[in-house]
Amino acid sequence: MSEVPRVLDRWELLAFLGEGTLGSVYLVADELRGGRRFALKLVQPERLAGVDPAEVDATFEQWLELRHPHVVETLEIARIPDLGAIAVAMTWLPGDTLFACAAGDRFDPLARWGAQACAGLAFLHRRGILHGSLKPENVRVADPEPADGIAGDPGAARAVLLDPALAP
C-alpha cells in the first residue's frame, strides 16, 4: 500500500483542485485539526520572482487578518524549506465556481452572487488589496452549511472571492 502524500507531515493531500496565480491548490485534511478539510495553496518560489520578500511576508500577514463573508478566509501561512514554497491554508468551500454556475442550471441567483463578489472586492480595495485575478473561476459559490444533516437551501448559497493575489 502506497503512502499518502503529505505536506509538512500534517496536511494529507486528498485532491488536486486547480492552478492559481501563485501556485497549485489542493484539498487537504489537517491532522492537527482532527482531519478537518482545507484548501491548501502551495505558492511556488518562481511565481514570486521579482517581488520583495518583505512585501510577500507583509501581504500574507494581511491575508491572515481578512474577515469578510465574501472573501475566502486564510487560516495559516507556513514555509516549506525543502521545497522553497509557502503553504497557505484557507477555508475549504464546497460548491462550484461562478463560471460553472453560469454554464449550468443555477442561473437565477447570478446577479446576487455577482453583487456579493463585488462586496468582497470592495472590502479588499478598502484595505489597499488588489485581487489581481478576478474572473468567474475565482469566485466560489459556496453551498450553504447543512443543518442537522439536512441539505441547505440552494437559494442560500453565497459567493466568495478566491485567490487574492500579490499585486506587482
Side-chain angles (χ1 to χ4, degrees), residues 122-133:
F123 170 81
L124 293 175
H125 287 182
R126 284 192 301 273
R127 281 149 187 80
I129 300 171
L130 299 176
H131 186 279
S133 186

Side-chain angles (χ1 to χ4, degrees), residues 19-22 41 63 72 90 131-133 138 161-165:
E19 192 72 23
T21 304
L22 298 176
K41 179 184 292 280
W63 287 7
V72 69
M90 300 168 283
H131 186 279
S133 186
N138 279 341
L161 289 173
L162 303 176
D163 197 25

Side-chain angles (χ1 to χ4, degrees), residues 1-2 5 7 9 12 26 28 32 37 44 46 49-50 54 59 72 78 113 138 143 145 153 156 164:
M1 185 154 121
S2 65
V7 176
D9 293 327
E12 178 183 335
Y26 298 88
V28 299
L32 294 182
R37 292 179 175 204
Q44 301 304 320
E46 62 272 8
T59 298
V72 69
W113 293 332
N138 279 341
D143 292 333
E145 295 286 326
D153 173 14

Side-chain angles (χ1 to χ4, degrees), residues 2-158:
S2 65
E3 190 172 318
V4 176
R6 296 184 150 343
V7 176
L8 292 178
D9 293 327
R10 69 176 272 203
W11 287 301
E12 178 183 335
L13 299 179
L14 302 175
F16 174 75
L17 297 175
E19 192 72 23
T21 304
L22 298 176
S24 302
V25 183
Y26 298 88
L27 177 62
V28 299
D30 188 344
E31 286 189 8
L32 294 182
R33 296 185 182 179
R36 186 173 164 203
R37 292 179 175 204
F38 295 92
L40 186 73
K41 179 184 292 280
L42 295 179
V43 179
Q44 301 304 320
E46 62 272 8
R47 305 277 178 98
L48 300 175
V51 181
D52 179 13
E55 181 182 335
V56 171
D57 290 343
T59 298
F60 284 143
E61 288 299 318
Q62 188 177 26
W63 287 7
L64 288 168
E65 297 171 5
L66 296 175
R67 296 292 180 269
H68 189 276
H70 303 295
V71 176
V72 69
E73 186 175 348
T74 299
L75 303 165
E76 185 176 347
I77 309 290
R79 297 210 178 258
I80 308 171
D82 49 331
L83 295 178
I86 300 170
V88 181
M90 300 168 283
T91 302
W92 164 241
L93 301 167
D96 288 320
T97 65
L98 188 59
F99 183 81
C101 289
D105 60 353
R106 297 172 74 180
F107 194 75
D108 289 342
L110 277 178
R112 178 171 48 88
W113 293 332
Q116 290 172 346
C118 288
L121 195 60
F123 170 81
L124 293 175
H125 287 182
R126 284 192 301 273
R127 281 149 187 80
I129 300 171
L130 299 176
H131 186 279
S133 186
L134 184 62
K135 56 189 173 188
E137 293 88 339
N138 279 341
V139 177
R140 167 87 48 198
V141 177
D143 292 333
E145 295 286 326
D148 299 324
I150 300 169
D153 173 14
R158 65 186 170 100

